[in-house]
Amino acid sequence: MNALQWLILTRHGESTGNLAYQAVHGTDAEEAGIPERDADVPLSGTGRAQAAKLGRWLAALPEDERPTLVVSSPYLRALDTAETALARTSYAAPDGLRIRVDERLRDREQGILQDLTALGVKNRFPAEADRLHRLGKFYYRPPGGESWADLALRLRSFYRDLQADAPGGRALVVAHDAIVVMTRYLVEELTEREVMEIEKEPIANASVTRWRHDGSGLAADCYNDCGHLTAAGPAASTGRR
C-alpha cells in the first residue's frame, strides 16, 4: 500500500446483529436469531448515532488528511455507515466525494456456521469444532465459508487495485472488524501468531484505524481508536458481526 498517502479504516456502526449476539452471550443459546441474511443486517439506533459522530470527526480533519476516495463494503450496515458519516462533511456528495462499493470488502463468510454461537458450533458440528482447534483460527475454513487466510487473498487484490486507481490518494475504507484486522496484517507484514493475538481485542463499532505514508511506507497512526465516539455519549459496542 505504499502508493497511498493515508489509509483510514473504520468498522461499521453498531448493527442489530451485534445486539443479537450480545443478547445471547453467556446463555445456552445455539443461534443468535438474526432474521436477515448477513448482507442485509441494518444499523441499530446507536449505530446510526456512531456513524454521525464518525462524520463529525471526518468533517474536522485538516484538509491534507481528508479522504480523497471512499470505498465501502456492499453490506447494508457498512454502506449506511459510510453514507451517514459523509453526509456530515462539507466535502462529500452531491458535488464532492462519492462512495465506491467493492464486494471484496464484505465480511468474512461463515458458511454453515453462520448465525451460530460457539456453543451451537460445538453441539451441532462437533467435527468442525475439533477441526478448528486442530488447524487454528487463521487457516480453518468452515464448509461454505472462508478462512482468515482466504480473506487476506481477496484483500491483497483489493489493495493492489486501490493503489493503482489512486496513487498518492487518501483512502477511507468502511467495512467490518475482520477487514480492519487483516488490513493490519497486510500493511504491517505480521505473522499468523501476531495477527491472531491482535484479533483477540475486539474492533469497536465506528472506531478508526489509520496509517500515514512516512516517506518509505505506511506507518501506523492509530488503531481501534474511539476517541471521537466517547467524547459524548456511550462507548462503542464491540459485539461481533
Side-chain angles (χ1 to χ4, degrees):
M1 275 77 84
N2 286 343
L4 296 174
Q5 181 184 0
W6 278 97
L7 177 60
I8 309 168
L9 266 73
T10 185
R11 185 188 179 194
H12 59 80
E14 181 188 78
S15 71
T16 58
N18 295 147
L19 294 178
Y21 272 98
Q22 291 169 22
V24 300
H25 181 71
T27 73
D28 59 0
E30 295 188 359
E31 297 181 9
I34 299 171
E36 303 92 352
R37 64 175 185 158
D38 198 20
D40 298 328
V41 173
L43 293 176
S44 67
T46 295
R48 289 190 292 273
Q50 290 168 342
K53 289 182 179 181
L54 174 66
R56 289 192 285 272
W57 175 81
L58 288 169
L61 284 175
E63 189 170 349
D64 62 353
E65 295 182 21
R66 294 174 179 175
T68 55
L69 72 159
V70 181
V71 193
S72 174
S73 160
Y75 284 13
L76 181 63
R77 55 192 181 274
L79 192 54
D80 278 357
T81 298
E83 291 175 343
T84 299
L86 286 179
R88 268 65 183 180
T89 71
S90 61
Y91 52 85
D95 299 319
L97 283 176
R98 302 284 181 173
I99 300 170
R100 290 167 43 184
V101 173
D102 196 303
E103 73 285 345
R104 290 172 292 184
L105 294 175
R106 68 189 184 278
D107 208 352
R108 187 171 71 89
E109 296 181 354
Q110 305 290 329
I112 63 171
L113 307 185
Q114 184 70 37
D115 198 43
L116 295 183
T117 64
L119 181 62
V121 174
K122 181 179 179 180
N123 290 344
R124 299 184 188 186
F125 299 102
E128 291 303 316
D130 290 343
R131 196 161 67 90
L132 169 60
H133 179 73
R134 184 173 68 255
L135 294 177
K137 183 182 288 188
F138 189 80
Y139 289 111
Y140 169 73
R141 180 188 295 124
E146 295 177 294
S147 68
W148 288 79
D150 293 329
L151 180 55
L153 287 175
R154 62 170 154 98
L155 284 178
R156 288 186 193 277
S157 167
F158 167 74
Y159 284 118
R160 278 196 302 269
D161 289 349
L162 185 65
Q163 292 182 94
D165 291 346
R170 300 185 295 270
L172 170 64
V173 173
V174 185
H176 309 271
D177 53 355
I179 300 296
V180 176
V181 170
M182 289 309 291
T183 297
R184 184 170 176 184
Y185 168 78
L186 296 176
V187 173
E188 300 178 18
E189 299 182 348
L190 303 177
T191 65
E192 171 193 354
R193 180 175 296 180
E194 287 170 334
V195 75
M196 289 294 94
E197 185 64 28
I198 288 169
E199 190 271 337
K200 292 178 182 178
E201 175 191 350
I203 301 297
N205 292 113
S207 62
V208 169
T209 296
R210 298 203 295 172
W211 295 267
R212 183 176 188 172
H213 203 287
D214 64 359
S216 60
L218 288 177
D221 179 74
C222 66
Y223 178 68
N224 199 17
D225 182 33
C226 298
H228 55 293
L229 303 176
T230 56
S237 162
T238 57
R240 297 295 176 144
R241 310 301 298 171

